[in-house]
Amino acid sequence: MARQYQKMIKDRDILFIPLENNSQVEHAKPFKLLPLASRLVLQKMFSEKDPKQSFFVLIGKDGKEKARSPFPRLPHFFHLIDQMPMRQHEMKRKN
């Protein structure tokens, strides 16, 4: 992951959860891995639209899908996150 995004990721409390179960994912950084059973539940919930496609899903803290992309569009995801009420509140509280 590009260093330029590390602070932005931390500021927005973003958690990356790879849903594939392979050795490359198991050792990927900066991913925090959930137990396999939890990842399989998430995979089932968010892959119904495109079961054979690889994609990135932005899931809000409310558990709902906010955006989907076939590649990681971090600047776009940051913009979407910054428009969310919870993030707006966090930004006001920090200033």
Side-chain angles (χ1 to χ4, degrees):
M1 182 131 339
R3 286 187 185 267
Q4 69 194 55
Y5 293 128
Q6 289 178 350
K7 182 175 181 342
M8 297 169 110
I9 289 167
K10 185 177 179 181
D11 287 347
R12 288 163 181 80
D13 194 27
I14 296 174
L15 173 64
F16 292 94
I17 305 170
L19 300 178
E20 299 168 1
N21 185 30
N22 63 45
S23 60
Q24 287 180 331
V25 169
E26 295 297 330
H27 300 292
K29 302 232 180 202
F31 297 131
K32 297 176 186 176
L33 296 178
L34 295 175
L36 177 59
S38 298
R39 293 192 332 245
L40 291 174
V41 168
L42 286 171
Q43 189 171 22
K44 182 172 174 57
M45 286 173 59
F46 293 101
S47 67
E48 291 175 352
K49 294 177 186 175
D50 303 307
K52 298 200 186 234
Q53 293 281 355
S54 293
F55 53 89
F56 294 81
V57 179
L58 176 61
I59 303 169
K61 290 186 177 183
D62 61 0
K64 296 179 183 173
E65 182 175 325
K66 306 300 182 186
R68 179 179 292 248
S69 176
F71 51 91
R73 299 174 55 203
L74 290 178
H76 176 67
F77 286 172
F78 293 153
H79 174 74
L80 292 174
I81 291 167
D82 289 347
Q83 303 307 309
M84 295 177 186
M86 188 179 289
R87 175 68 177 149
Q88 292 282 317
H89 180 72
E90 289 172 359
M91 291 187 299
K92 285 179 185 174
R93 198 175 58 220
K94 286 182 180 180
N95 292 330

